[in-house]
Amino acid sequence: MAEAGSLHDAFIDELRDTYDAEKQLTKALPKLAKASSNPKLRQAFESHLQETQGQIARLEQVFQSLDEKARGKHCEGIAGIIEEGKLLMEENFDETTMDACLIAAGQRAEHYEMAAYGTLVTWAQAMGHSEAAKLLQQTLDEEKAADKKLSGLAEGGINQSAADAAHPDEDEEPVANASGARKSSAKAGRG
C-alpha cells in the first residue's frame, strides 16, 4: 500500500496548481483587455496582468523558500474559467454588455484565485512556513484588490449602462396605450 500523503504534499500540489493557473492567466488577461471597450476596464485587466507576472515571481520565491523546484501542474479549474471567457468573447453582445460580461469572467478567475491563495496562506501558517505565508498573503491581498476594482467598475456604471441598453424604454414615464390603460415602467415595481 502506498504511503499516505501529508498536508505538506497537498500544499506543494496546490502551489503547483496555482503556479500553472497564474501562467494560464498571463495568456488570458491580454485577451480580456483587448475585448474591453471601456478604457478603465481595459486598464484594470492590463494592470492585473503586470501584477500576475509579479505573482508568478512571488510563487517562485515560495518554492525556493521550501527547497522545491518551481513547476506547474495543469490547473483544470482555471482552464475551465478561461474557456468560459473565450466562449463569452465569441458572443455578439453590444459593447457595454460585453464589458459587463468581461467583468463577470474576470471575477470568476479572481474568486478562484482568492480561494486557492486563502487555502495556501492558511496551510503555510499551520505548518510554520512563515516566509511562504507572508508572500502568499501579499498575493491574496492583490487578488482581493483586483476583485474590488472590477466590482467598482461594474457598480460604477458599466452594469447599469448594459441594463439600460437592454431595456431602453423603462426610464420613460407611464404612457397610455391604445385601450386607454396605463403602461407602467418596469422600474416602478422594483424597490
Side-chain angles (χ1 to χ4, degrees):
M1 183 173 181
E3 186 178 322
S6 68
L7 183 61
H8 182 79
D9 298 325
F11 178 68
I12 298 302
D13 192 59
E14 185 68 22
L15 277 174
R16 290 180 175 146
D17 188 76
T18 304
Y19 186 68
D20 181 73
E22 295 291 16
K23 292 219 173 209
Q24 289 184 53
L25 285 168
T26 62
K27 295 178 179 110
L29 283 165
K31 294 173 185 168
L32 292 172
K34 184 178 181 182
S36 304
S37 64
N38 181 293
K40 289 180 181 176
L41 180 57
R42 186 176 311 112
Q43 177 57 41
F45 287 131
E46 289 170 350
S47 69
H48 194 57
L49 172 59
Q50 292 173 352
E51 273 184 345
T52 300
Q53 291 163 338
Q55 292 165 356
I56 289 169
R58 198 174 297 129
L59 281 168
E60 290 167 352
Q61 288 180 275
V62 170
F63 281 115
Q64 186 177 13
S65 76
L66 301 168
D67 293 323
E68 292 283 340
K69 182 179 179 187
R71 64 180 168 93
K73 171 190 157 200
H74 185 68
C75 179
E76 293 291 341
I78 209 70
I81 291 170
I82 289 170
E83 182 60 28
E84 284 183 358
K86 285 179 187 174
L87 294 173
L88 168 80
M89 288 185 276
E90 293 172 5
E91 295 290 335
N92 187 23
F93 292 132
D94 63 76
E95 288 183 345
T96 307
T97 300
M98 180 58 75
D99 285 344
C101 291
L102 292 171
I103 289 170
Q107 288 191 292
R108 279 187 194 94
E110 293 307 323
H111 287 227
Y112 184 89
E113 290 181 291
M114 290 185 317
Y117 281 108
T119 296
L120 287 168
V121 167
T122 302
W123 286 355
Q125 290 170 340
M127 292 184 288
H129 300 310
S130 55
E131 182 182 350
K134 185 181 88 167
L135 292 165
L136 294 163
Q137 182 65 53
Q138 190 176 347
T139 299
L140 177 59
D141 293 344
E142 288 174 356
E143 300 297 4
K144 288 178 180 179
D147 180 59
K148 187 173 181 178
K149 182 184 278 188
L150 289 172
S151 288
L153 289 168
E155 295 165 1
I158 290 175
N159 284 352
Q160 190 60 55
S161 294
D164 292 346
H167 302 287
D169 61 344
E170 290 185 6
D171 286 334
E172 296 175 7
E173 291 297 314
V175 293
N177 65 19
S179 67
R182 305 248 331 147
K183 176 181 149 190
S184 65
S185 165
K187 286 187 178 175
R190 296 181 198 151

